[in-house]
Amino acid sequence: MGSAFNLGRFFGIQVRLHYTWFIIFVFITVSLSWQYFPFAYPTWSHLIYWVVGIVTSLLFFASVLAHELAHSLVGRANGVTIKSITLFIFGGVAQMTREATRASAELKMAAAGPACSLAIGGLFGLLWVLTRGILEPLAAMASWLALVNVVLAVFNLIPGFPLDGGRVFRSILWRATGNYGRSTRIATRVGQGVGYLFIVAGILIIFLVRDMWFSGLWLAFIGWFLENAASASYRQAQWREALGAFTAADVMTSDYPVVPADSTVSELVQGYVIPSGRRFFVVADDDRLQGIVTLHNIKSAPQQDWDVTPVRQIMTPVNELKVAYPDQDALGVMEQMDGNDINQIPVVSEGRVVGLVARDRLIRFLRTRSELGI
Ligand SMILES: [Zn+2]
């Protein structure tokens, strides 16, 4: 996901707000303060509508964050590494460096979010019972938040991947069949179906139900988003399964430029970068891997110094580098790249570079094989 604003770390997990979050935050605040509360409680002052609206909206997002944190913390307790949580227009998403490796871990992790939302809904329900008839603005806020958290839990339990219910569904299939790939394909197909259903229902609401066109549009949008996410997960599952059959040596390329460590940045730019149009270079002396250098490294050196700066000085040295080994399985290499946010990884055998695995090439490799039917 693109540009996001860092909110800080919670329990060691980075929390970010995607720019679309601000849109939905303003939208919810305005519709609460301008429509919902004035309509349901006509006697309050303007100030109260806005204060209660803003606080309710903030607590709603805190509830969504708590839902994601519940996934993340239960995941972490079960061996799934969580990098960050991003809140965006359709809710929240936790970025894992890799998927759960056991069905039971996935089941607990997926169920934790809706369970947390239900618990929060229950707490706000209790607050509503306690404040009802005594402190109307607080009771109004509590009742809305109770309802919304329960809706959040129920919505997320719809069994289409990548919704939580879809993950629960996959983990049950996975445990029953022992086949991760097939379980994922089934759960993501159901997810696509749910997405299409939402789109159709949304369109029907727009045209058939009076004054509900916006809700219909919103439902159709969520359906579209869900369908996209499910399709992407389906493709990813296919790739993972296909990759499982190969090693790094099978999928690596030997077609990559090698730059001597003592050449200057100018020589690198004129002799390698410009003619090849590549963004990533292996630095090696007599096949001994010294490091890698990317456009990013080059840009970090001031241009007037390019003639005198050796590549050695700007490269990422071998001891800070992620490398793969020829007999490592290709799926593991892909996960290593995903986990470190990198697109290429040198394949090293006894200190010598023997190849390069690049994400785009990996995808082409699989596509070509599937087109040839081999
Ligand atoms: Zn969830």
Side-chain angles (χ1 to χ4, degrees):
M1 242 185 294
S3 41
F5 168 84
N6 267 336
L7 194 65
R9 300 182 84 84
F10 294 76
F11 304 100
I13 297 161
Q14 186 73 49
V15 175
R16 302 164 353 125
L17 298 178
H18 190 247
Y19 72 92
T20 55
W21 179 88
F22 294 95
I23 300 171
I24 192 73
F25 176 72
V26 169
F27 175 75
I28 289 183
T29 307
V30 168
S31 49
L32 283 172
S33 309
W34 217 348
Q35 284 192 306
Y36 174 73
F37 288 129
F39 183 74
Y41 308 93
T43 57
W44 302 356
S45 72
H46 276 293
L47 182 67
I48 302 282
Y49 288 135
W50 283 98
V51 170
V52 175
I54 290 169
V55 173
T56 306
S57 192
L58 285 172
L59 285 174
F60 167 62
F61 287 105
S63 306
V64 174
L65 178 58
H67 173 115
E68 293 306 323
L69 277 172
H71 284 308
S72 305
L73 295 179
V74 171
R76 195 160 69 180
N78 286 280
V80 181
T81 317
I82 307 293
K83 268 202 305 194
S84 64
I85 291 173
T86 306
L87 299 184
F88 71 119
I89 194 160
F90 294 123
V93 57
Q95 274 93 27
M96 300 176 265
T97 55
R98 53 185 300 172
E99 299 268 334
T101 49
R102 283 171 300 126
S104 61
E106 159 139 88
L107 178 66
K108 286 181 211 158
M109 181 176 170
C116 176
S117 293
L118 276 181
I120 294 175
L123 286 177
F124 279 119
L126 190 67
L127 183 64
W128 172 69
V129 170
L130 294 174
T131 53
R132 192 169 40 144
I134 304 168
L135 205 54
E136 197 180 50
L138 192 58
M141 184 185 82
S143 76
W144 189 84
L145 285 166
L147 182 71
V148 159
N149 271 288
V150 171
V151 169
L152 198 66
V154 171
F155 171 78
N156 272 293
L157 282 173
I158 294 171
F161 197 92
L163 288 173
D164 299 338
R167 290 183 176 274
V168 169
F169 177 49
R170 174 174 74 175
S171 71
I172 293 169
L173 287 177
W174 183 9
R175 188 184 298 193
T177 63
N179 189 328
Y180 177 84
R182 213 176 80 203
S183 308
T184 306
R185 287 204 307 271
I186 294 170
T188 49
R189 282 289 191 231
V190 175
Q192 286 175 297
V194 171
Y196 285 127
L197 217 62
F198 278 21
I199 294 173
V200 171
I203 292 171
L204 288 179
I205 288 173
I206 293 173
F207 289 108
L208 299 180
V209 186
R210 247 167 64 100
D211 295 336
M212 288 283 281
W213 65 271
F214 189 80
S215 304
L217 192 64
W218 189 242
L219 191 66
F221 258 121
I222 290 179
W224 170 79
F225 170 75
L226 205 62
E227 198 284 322
N228 267 314
S231 306
S233 303
Y234 182 87
R235 280 195 303 274
Q236 213 185 3
Q238 269 186 318
W239 287 344
R240 289 171 66 96
E241 228 172 336
L243 272 185
F246 301 103
T247 63
D250 295 327
V251 298
M252 72 188 186
T253 170
S254 49
D255 169 31
Y256 53 89
V258 176
V259 181
D262 290 324
S263 50
T264 65
V265 177
S266 287
E267 285 165 350
L268 168 64
V269 171
Q270 294 305 330
Y272 296 87
V273 181
I274 307 276
S276 73
R278 291 174 197 248
R279 315 171 59 88
F280 176 96
F281 301 88
V282 169
V283 183
D285 291 326
D286 302 327
D287 278 353
R288 284 264 140 214
L289 179 64
Q290 304 294 328
I292 57 160
V293 65
T294 62
L295 280 198
H296 185 74
N297 294 132
I298 297 173
K299 281 194 289 187
S300 72
Q303 222 177 93
Q304 66 269 23
D305 300 340
W306 281 6
D307 282 336
V308 291
T309 310
V311 168
R312 184 186 301 285
Q313 204 176 310
I314 61 160
M315 70 183 184
T316 307
V318 67
N319 55 344
E320 292 171 21
L321 218 55
K322 304 288 175 219
V323 296
Y325 300 97
D327 52 0
Q328 195 178 341
D329 71 283
L331 182 58
V333 177
M334 177 90 146
E335 282 175 348
Q336 213 176 333
M337 289 195 288
D338 286 342
N340 294 293
D341 269 333
I342 49 180
N343 293 315
Q344 302 91 352
I345 196 163
V347 182
V348 173
S349 175
E350 292 165 355
R352 292 179 183 282
V353 208
V354 293
L356 182 76
V357 176
R359 189 188 297 272
D360 53 350
R361 206 195 107 81
L362 213 71
I363 292 164
R364 252 181 296 149
F365 171 86
L366 293 177
R367 195 169 291 155
T368 311
R369 290 188 67 95
S370 88
E371 267 175 40
L372 292 173
I374 52 175

